[in-house]
Amino acid sequence: MCDDIACVCSSCLADHGMAEAHSAVAFSFSITHEGWDVNFDREVLHLVWQSGIRSWKKRLARFKNNIKNGIYPAPLQSLWAIVAILAAVHFAKYGIIHTSVHIVLMLLPASTLLWELVACTLLGLIVWLAIIYSIRYLLKILLMYKGWMYEQRGKGRVISRCTMIWFLFVKILSGGSKPLLYSYQGSLPRLPLPSLKDTMSRYLRGVRPLLSEEDYSRMHKLASEFERGIGAKLQRYLVLKSWWATNYVSDWWEEYVYLRGRSPLVVNSNFYGIDAILINPVRTQAARAATVISICLQFRRLIERQELEPILIQGLVPLCSWQYERVFNTTRVPGMETDRIVHHTDSKHIVVYHKGRYFKVFIYFRGRILRSCEIQMQLEQILSDESLPAKGEEKLAALTAGERTAWAAVRREFFFKGLNRQSLDAIEKAAFVVALDDFPYEFDEHDPSKLDHYGQILLHGKGYDRWFDKSFTLCIGSNGRIGFNAEHSWADAAVMSHVWEYIIMEEETSLIGYGEDGRTKGTPEFTPPAPIRLQWNLLPPCIAAIDLSYQVALSLLNDVDLRVYMHSAYGKGFMKECRISPDAFIQMALQLAYYRDAGRFSLTYEASMTRLFREGRTETVRPCTIESVTWVRAMLGNVASVEERVRLLQIACNVHQVAYQDAMCGKGIDRHLFCLYVVSKYLEVDSPFLKEVLSEPWRLSTSQTPHGQTPKLDLKKYPRCISAGGGFGPVADDGYGVSYIIAGEDLIFFHITSKRSSPETDSSRFAVHIQQALSDIKSLFLEWRQLQQRQKNQKQ
């Protein structure tokens, strides 16, 4: 093993001239009988110098951006304007300003003209800061108003006068300067804590359609006892936290829902995203991988420099951007009781996995990021490398797919020091991981099974060919199609969807492109540093632990039943014609489909965001309501007329839309109940009500994949250039996980997962029920329109 390592290092030293390989001999000295003998390696010292310069440039840029964010929305030039105005007024000896300058001047060493100018500058700085922080505070107060969320949308909408005035003031106070990524963070309000009474009322209304009269009476009694009893005490502690913490939910949510989870990440937590499957720009694996890697690095640079535009709803209301900080250079490190998220401020390399081997690939050389044509050269070296993986290396990543406690123990015993620690550090400190698969990712509109397999490849792969701990693993098929697998604790799916949307649109609209030979365009300026094969010393007990984790992962992935259904009969266009929110439209279709599939209604989870508030993440919307149940029963019965069914659907959709808006505005149910439960555990107090609420299974867990987060996305110009979305594993053993993306005016993708071991579920069967539900709703509206037209003709 030692000889092999020496050969690798010698090869790197001779051929690549890399700083890491040279570091052992960059500076050396020895004592001889003639005195001191000092040797310098100028090339390595030059690289060290460049690295230091780059580091200081980043620090200065970060410092400059922090100043800009701190004074936003005012530009820095406004300071000099205020100083000039104050100086002019002072020398004109006018009023209170002249007096104030003299008061400041009394604190200075002299009363000369120079010190008068200094006094004007100091007074101007004080006035300027006072104005800025007054504006920021006013903006924060304005952003607490959420009435605009409940206004009408679409053509012919009428906006209230209050909201119109609010829009005007927000526009004025937002200033004319271009915001950086984190410019609005200081102006975002805190997530409000709902009253206990409101949450209890909303909860009871939410479970009413799911419980019998007897069960509802029992639950109502439990809720009332909780509200009058221990709930009031728990609420008081939560009020204190809401005053003290930036966000009363997010830290506990990250800690207890994600990091303290001991079950495997694969299927249970990680999620995936698929390529824009309607287009395939190039079939050369190395070229597509190099381009996408290059675009990822561009996105990382936008985040580092804060040049990425913050997302503004309706072009005015900002969303919290704090989750973007951990997109890159981030890994989840296992622990015995709880994991931790480790984020590095910078990383100069990525790690590539190919045919069971790991390669460290440098992305910086000669003071800049490598171009796509240069990265392609590196990837081609990896693809042409015919060396075999070391014993145990091929399935090493299965450790990240197994039980978290087992992985933590193995990491502490076998990866604590030496060669294994160095190689593990290379992976965990990488910007991200790339998996070059040796099989194609296929899509055929006439063979749905290929898209299903595509999703399975990205959700779990083989159980050992994705590093599930990394913030994300970029997956490249042998035919050039792409996808990703992302860890969930560091951020929510909307952030990774933004990254993915940027990649797809940048590749389509930029000048990067590919030549006729299938290679990336451009000519390399130099030979890039060659990839370095990571070395491992995996002992038999470690290999046995790897195999044990692999068996755990294998049992999980073999149990996943995944179906990706592409609905092309109609999409958002028809839904808008029906004057119904597309999300509410689909949620009602899912309720109808689930009842047909299971023969009952079930607790349904829909993810909503709370990023209108600082450090906001998600909230739960409960689409199974009294109104949705009434409509579903009307659809399945033969009593209700067409007009009645449409009316009930419109009511159900309106109720759902308000519930979604409430969740976004901090009026949700489940995060509040979750935090009350955490407080009860800290106080070691048992609550029968909270215990029952938190143990209720979400048999239908749903989420919409957002799009349109990138300004370049123009579906009219690029109608086929949109991701097919992504998905996640089922939350309940006897339930479904459904992720959907409204991919345009006439296309919707559904990613449906369930467990094969459950006799109650079948993803393909559920896809058929979704198709039938969407078809029934369309037929219902078409029949209603025809009926309205006939009635109109009769009146004429």
Side-chain angles (χ1 to χ4, degrees):
M1 177 67 72
C2 293
D3 292 339
D4 293 340
I5 297 168
C7 290
V8 171
C9 291
S10 298
S11 175
C12 294
L13 187 62
D15 299 334
H16 314 316
M18 291 306 303
E20 186 165 319
H22 276 298
S23 60
V25 294
F27 172 80
S28 64
F29 70 92
S30 59
I31 301 176
T32 67
H33 62 281
E34 297 179 354
W36 297 89
D37 182 20
V38 182
N39 293 312
F40 296 91
D41 189 316
R42 293 184 178 179
E43 182 182 354
V44 176
L45 291 179
H46 178 66
L47 292 176
V48 171
W49 171 259
Q50 282 187 330
S51 179
I53 292 294
R54 178 174 168 270
S55 178
W56 277 105
K57 282 182 177 179
K58 290 187 70 173
R59 291 182 186 180
L60 289 173
R62 194 177 297 118
F63 177 73
K64 181 180 177 182
N65 287 336
N66 287 339
I67 292 177
K68 286 184 177 180
N69 289 331
I71 65 173
Y72 186 83
L76 192 59
Q77 295 84 345
S78 60
L79 170 61
W80 314 123
I82 289 178
V83 170
I85 292 170
L86 290 180
V89 174
H90 164 67
F91 288 113
K93 299 181 179 180
Y94 182 78
I96 191 171
I97 293 177
H98 180 67
T99 305
S100 300
V101 171
H102 272 288
I103 292 173
V104 175
L105 196 60
M106 291 171 61
L107 303 174
L108 299 177
S111 300
T112 62
L113 177 62
L114 177 61
W115 286 110
E116 283 191 73
L117 291 174
V118 171
C120 289
T121 302
L122 290 175
L123 183 62
L125 180 61
I126 293 170
V127 172
W128 182 65
L129 290 175
I131 293 172
I132 286 173
Y133 283 96
S134 296
I135 291 173
R136 288 167 67 92
Y137 188 73
L138 285 172
L139 184 59
K140 191 171 187 174
I141 292 175
L142 285 171
L143 291 177
M144 293 174 67
Y145 171 73
K146 295 294 184 290
W148 62 273
M149 282 283 297
Y150 301 90
E151 298 283 357
Q152 294 179 356
R153 287 175 172 80
K155 295 180 179 179
R157 64 175 182 167
V158 178
I159 302 176
S160 67
R161 182 178 299 176
C162 178
T163 298
M164 290 181 67
I165 295 172
W166 175 83
F167 267 118
L168 179 62
F169 275 103
V170 171
K171 187 70 175 176
I172 293 171
L173 292 179
S174 295
S177 58
K178 183 179 179 181
L180 298 176
L181 179 61
Y182 304 126
S183 290
Y184 286 104
Q185 293 301 100
S187 300
L188 290 173
R190 297 186 181 196
L191 181 68
L193 176 66
S195 70
L196 190 60
K197 182 179 180 181
D198 285 347
T199 296
M200 291 297 100
S201 176
R202 293 173 192 273
Y203 171 77
L204 289 172
R205 194 178 194 284
V207 298
R208 183 64 190 90
L210 303 172
L211 301 176
S212 64
E213 289 289 343
E214 182 181 350
D215 289 337
Y216 180 74
S217 297
R218 184 182 62 83
M219 183 57 73
H220 193 283
K221 182 180 178 182
L222 283 175
S224 298
E225 291 174 351
F226 175 77
E227 184 180 346
R228 294 193 305 266
I230 188 61
K233 181 180 179 181
L234 301 180
Q235 178 77 354
R236 285 195 292 270
Y237 281 99
L238 210 52
V239 168
L240 288 176
K241 192 196 177 190
S242 70
W243 290 348
W244 176 257
T246 305
N247 188 297
Y248 80 91
V249 175
S250 294
D251 57 341
W252 284 353
W253 186 255
E254 182 177 292
E255 175 72 15
Y256 294 106
V257 172
Y258 292 116
L259 299 181
R260 284 185 181 265
R262 301 293 83 198
S263 58
L265 300 183
V266 63
V267 177
N268 295 319
S269 179
N270 284 28
F271 59 95
Y272 70 90
I274 289 183
D275 198 0
I277 58 173
L278 300 180
I279 57 175
N280 191 7
V282 69
R283 298 187 64 85
T284 307
Q285 184 179 29
R288 184 81 191 280
T291 299
V292 175
I293 290 169
S294 179
I295 296 173
C296 283
L297 297 176
Q298 290 176 28
F299 196 88
R300 187 179 75 154
R301 185 167 56 185
L302 290 176
I303 293 175
E304 288 174 346
R305 297 179 178 180
Q306 299 189 32
E307 293 173 355
L308 185 69
E309 296 180 30
I311 297 176
L312 303 176
I313 298 180
Q314 298 188 13
L316 191 65
V317 185
L319 296 184
C320 179
S321 301
W322 77 282
Q323 296 181 51
Y324 286 85
E325 183 180 353
R326 301 188 292 189
V327 175
F328 300 95
N329 322 330
T330 301
T331 194
R332 175 171 170 170
V333 176
M336 297 302 292
E337 295 182 358
T338 181
D339 295 353
R340 57 193 174 93
I341 299 173
V342 177
H343 171 72
H344 302 278
T345 56
D346 192 20
S347 179
K348 300 177 183 178
H349 70 277
I350 60 173
V351 166
V352 177
Y353 176 86
H354 176 61
K355 289 187 176 180
R357 304 152 307 162
Y358 291 87
F359 297 85
K360 184 176 183 179
V361 179
F362 290 93
I363 52 180
Y364 281 93
F365 194 61
R366 295 187 181 177
R368 67 166 175 82
I369 299 176
L370 297 180
R371 296 170 183 165
S372 55
C373 57
E374 294 157 353
I375 296 174
Q376 182 175 351
M377 294 175 64
Q378 295 174 309
L379 299 181
E380 286 172 341
Q381 292 180 58
I382 294 174
L383 292 171
S384 62
D385 190 324
E386 297 181 356
S387 62
L388 298 176
K391 192 172 183 180
E393 181 183 9
E394 181 180 15
K395 297 180 181 178
L396 177 63
L399 290 170
T400 68
E403 299 288 341
R404 302 304 293 172
T405 303
W407 172 208
V410 172
R411 189 178 190 274
R412 186 170 59 185
E413 184 175 357
F414 299 107
F415 296 87
F416 180 73
K417 59 182 179 180
L419 187 64
N420 289 345
R421 180 55 184 265
Q422 293 175 14
S423 296
L424 181 62
D425 276 352
I427 296 175
E428 292 185 339
K429 293 179 180 179
F432 52 91
V433 171
V434 178
L436 297 177
D437 288 330
D438 55 353
F439 49 85
Y441 302 168
E442 296 180 308
F443 166 68
D444 185 346
E445 293 187 39
H446 304 292
D447 186 357
S449 64
K450 290 186 177 180
L451 190 55
D452 298 345
H453 184 58
Y454 197 160
Q456 291 169 354
I457 289 168
L458 300 175
L459 177 62
H460 50 64
K462 299 176 181 177
Y464 59 79
D465 51 355
R466 283 89 178 90
W467 199 268
F468 295 102
D469 283 356
K470 285 299 288 183
S471 54
F472 70 95
T473 299
L474 184 62
C475 307
I476 317 292
S478 60
N479 60 344
R481 289 199 179 275
I482 60 174
F484 70 84
N485 179 284
E487 202 275 318
H488 209 329
S489 64
W490 61 272
D492 299 312
V495 175
M496 197 61 213
S497 297
H498 187 182
V499 178
W500 202 237
E501 188 177 284
Y502 178 88
I503 290 170
I504 290 172
M505 291 308 302
E506 189 68 20
E507 184 180 25
E508 179 70 15
T509 61
S510 70
L511 300 176
I512 299 175
Y514 305 95
E516 294 182 359
D517 57 355
R519 300 182 62 83
T520 55
K521 291 182 179 179
T523 303
E525 291 185 358
F526 46 71
T527 300
I532 297 175
R533 171 83 182 274
L534 297 184
Q535 302 295 321
W536 308 91
N537 182 19
L538 304 175
L539 301 175
C542 182
I543 295 175
I546 292 171
D547 187 62
L548 184 62
S549 290
Y550 172 62
Q551 294 304 320
V552 171
L554 196 62
S555 64
L556 283 170
L557 64 91
N558 284 337
D559 197 25
V560 174
D561 179 18
L562 188 150
R563 173 80 171 90
V564 183
Y565 166 53
M566 186 174 75
H567 180 80
S568 56
Y570 66 93
K572 182 169 60 177
F574 177 77
M575 297 174 189
K576 287 181 176 179
E577 290 177 9
C578 298
R579 302 184 67 83
I580 289 179
S581 158
D583 180 72
F585 191 105
I586 291 176
Q587 284 294 335
M588 293 306 107
L590 290 175
Q591 289 299 307
L592 178 57
Y594 185 82
Y595 189 85
R596 282 173 171 163
D597 185 87
R600 66 176 186 272
F601 297 102
S602 182
L603 192 62
T604 306
Y605 180 106
E606 181 187 6
S608 168
M609 63 139 185
T610 56
R611 287 170 58 198
L612 290 169
F613 305 95
R614 191 167 183 178
E615 295 186 13
R617 291 201 60 161
T618 60
E619 178 57 272
T620 304
V621 182
R622 298 183 170 218
C624 186
T625 61
I626 296 171
E627 292 77 14
S628 69
V629 167
T630 303
W631 170 72
V632 169
R633 286 178 172 151
M635 287 293 290
L636 298 177
N638 297 319
V639 178
S641 64
V642 171
E643 293 97 328
E644 180 66 8
R645 292 178 182 181
V646 170
R647 187 184 69 83
L648 291 175
L649 176 58
Q650 290 171 337
I651 292 172
C653 287
N654 289 337
V655 168
H656 175 80
Q657 188 67 7
V658 171
Y660 197 95
Q661 292 162 342
D662 283 344
M664 289 183 66
C665 295
K667 301 175 185 176
I669 303 168
D670 293 277
R671 297 300 179 269
H672 185 195
L673 294 175
F674 162 76
C675 289
L676 290 170
Y677 181 75
V678 173
V679 174
S680 74
K681 287 302 177 182
Y682 273 121
L683 298 178
E684 298 182 346
V685 175
D686 283 332
S687 167
F689 171 75
L690 289 177
K691 188 177 292 185
E692 185 162 343
V693 169
L694 272 296
S695 63
E696 292 171 344
W698 300 96
R699 290 192 174 89
L700 181 56
S701 182
T702 71
S703 178
Q704 180 183 175
T705 302
H707 69 95
Q709 301 182 87
T710 302
K712 285 188 177 182
L713 181 62
D714 185 351
L715 293 181
K716 292 182 179 179
K717 190 175 181 180
Y718 307 101
R720 299 170 65 84
C721 189
I722 188 168
S723 168
F728 52 88
V731 174
D733 290 339
D734 57 348
Y736 293 105
V738 181
S739 177
Y740 55 93
I741 181 170
I742 305 172
E745 298 299 307
D746 300 301
L747 194 60
I748 309 169
F749 287 95
F750 292 89
H751 299 252
I752 307 159
T753 57
S754 60
K755 293 193 174 183
R756 298 182 190 276
S757 56
S758 172
E760 299 182 24
T761 57
D762 184 304
S763 296
S764 296
R765 183 184 72 207
F766 193 51
V768 172
H769 287 309
I770 292 174
Q771 180 183 17
Q772 184 62 48
L774 290 170
S775 177
D776 288 348
I777 297 174
K778 181 178 181 180
S779 298
L780 174 66
F781 271 101
L782 292 177
E783 188 176 353
W784 180 59
R785 287 177 186 173
Q786 291 175 357
L787 187 61
Q788 283 188 316
Q789 187 63 43
R790 285 200 298 268
Q791 291 174 350
K792 184 178 179 180
N793 293 336
Q794 288 174 0
K795 289 180 180 179
Q796 292 177 350

